[in-house]
Amino acid sequence: MTTTDQPAQAERPAPSAGSVRSSNGFDFGAVLPLPPTAARLVDRVQDVAPRIAMVLSGACGRPVGVRCVGAERIGAAQLGPATATWCYADAGELGRAALVVPPELTVALADAFLGGTGVAPEVSRPGSPLERRLVLRHLQPALQPVVAALSDEGLTRLELGEAQELPPNGSLGDLVTLRLLVSLTPIKDQDEPADPAQVIRLALPARTLLPAGGPSYAAPVAATAAALAEVPVRVSVRLAPTSLSAAEVESLTPGDVVRLDHGVDVPLDVLLDERVLMHATLGRRGRRRAILVTDLVGQL
């Protein structure tokens, strides 16, 4: 089985063991060298691809083919076209990840989930907000076998966030993307080149997948650390999401009460950006709402 499929690398000289440079310096458009663990990651995800296909087949009401067609190392700016459906994802100990679904596949999957033909329109268009939400909602359970496949690499969970409108920012850093070909018809030829319009990309932080003997960085000097400590950061508190139908949302008026799926005894997630830092319980301090930190689960 071919474990990596990187046609983009064939269009430029193979990168050296060091950085990839052009005549003017670093070539930010070049494909970076893959970490040595990439082939093993692809094999593990391919092993659970039939389980992913089974979940999607049940949601679509028809056979769906899924195949892991390789991995690549990229930056956040190279994740996908602006019209793609994408979201941040909580990848447990690995940190913050991202999921990208091409616009054509978004529309086709949404149509299949709603009982349609699953055929994307001839003229490509981005998925509507409802289509994007529907696709991410069904991909959440479908991709859970990947957690079991990569648990040894630190992937303890995979929780998809809401579809994003703005392109990914640089805070995601260096990424290793696993590419999953999703076909709404059974895959007959396992070696057939993958159509990019049918490939979902799961982007995981590359630094957590590199060998332990990789480059290390010295701690910042005291003056730098003190300056960084004064930088304001935005911290948010998240409750478990609740699913409502489009009709229920449209009928909401001021004064309506929406029952949340978050149990009263379940800790809240405290996040920096989309990364969970700690758990807490909700309370009050004077005339303001407050939280009591119960345990730490991440680092700043």
Side-chain angles (χ1 to χ4, degrees):
M1 177 184 65
T2 301
T3 56
T4 55
D5 176 17
Q6 300 179 63
Q9 285 189 334
E11 300 174 4
R12 55 175 64 89
S16 64
S19 59
V20 181
R21 295 185 176 273
S22 66
S23 58
N24 296 321
F26 194 88
D27 183 0
F28 291 97
V31 176
L32 295 172
L34 280 167
T37 54
R40 184 172 73 249
L41 298 178
V42 172
D43 286 342
R44 290 181 176 180
V45 175
Q46 178 57 32
D47 288 342
V48 299
R51 294 168 55 189
I52 301 173
M54 182 176 64
V55 177
L56 288 178
S57 296
C60 292
R62 72 184 68 193
V64 174
V66 176
R67 175 166 61 99
C68 188
V69 293
E72 59 187 348
R73 187 175 171 188
I74 60 173
Q78 300 167 298
L79 270 177
T83 54
T85 297
W86 81 277
C87 68
Y88 290 113
D90 179 2
E93 295 179 7
L94 290 185
R96 188 166 63 163
L99 183 77
V100 182
V101 186
E104 299 88 348
L105 186 57
T106 297
V107 175
L109 281 174
D111 185 63
F113 291 145
L114 294 172
T117 61
V119 177
E122 293 184 2
V123 179
S124 178
R125 65 170 178 83
S128 68
L130 184 59
E131 288 172 329
R132 295 183 179 194
R133 181 180 179 186
L134 180 64
V135 167
L136 294 179
R137 179 178 177 182
H138 282 287
L139 287 177
Q140 169 70 41
L143 292 175
Q144 292 314 298
V146 178
V147 178
L150 302 183
S151 59
D152 291 346
E153 308 294 334
L155 186 62
T156 54
R157 63 176 172 270
L158 185 62
E159 297 179 7
L160 305 184
E162 297 296 325
Q164 301 292 308
E165 297 297 331
L166 298 177
N169 57 47
S171 65
L172 282 172
D174 191 12
L175 301 167
V176 170
T177 62
L178 294 165
R179 298 188 290 159
L180 288 169
L181 171 66
V182 177
S183 173
L184 292 176
T185 57
I187 299 175
K188 298 180 180 180
D189 184 359
Q190 294 294 324
D191 296 324
E192 183 179 353
D195 180 358
Q198 294 181 289
V199 174
I200 292 175
R201 305 171 84 181
L202 175 60
L204 302 172
R207 59 182 174 80
T208 60
L209 301 176
L210 291 171
S216 59
Y217 302 94
V221 298
T224 301
L228 292 175
E230 299 300 321
V231 175
V233 295
R234 183 176 295 275
V235 177
S236 59
V237 179
R238 181 176 67 189
L239 293 89
T242 295
S243 296
L244 298 174
S245 67
E248 289 173 323
V249 173
E250 188 177 6
S251 66
L252 289 175
T253 58
D256 289 346
V257 176
V258 178
R259 179 183 178 276
L260 303 178
D261 291 336
H262 196 106
V264 294
D265 57 342
V266 177
L268 308 172
D269 287 339
V270 182
L271 302 95
L272 174 63
D273 291 330
E274 292 294 323
R275 182 160 53 91
V276 178
L277 292 178
M278 59 194 76
H279 293 148
T281 56
L282 187 64
R284 183 188 302 271
R285 174 65 64 88
R287 300 182 62 183
R288 293 180 178 273
R289 290 289 186 185
I291 58 171
L292 174 66
V293 176
T294 56
D295 64 291
L296 304 177
V297 296
Q299 295 182 344
L300 183 64

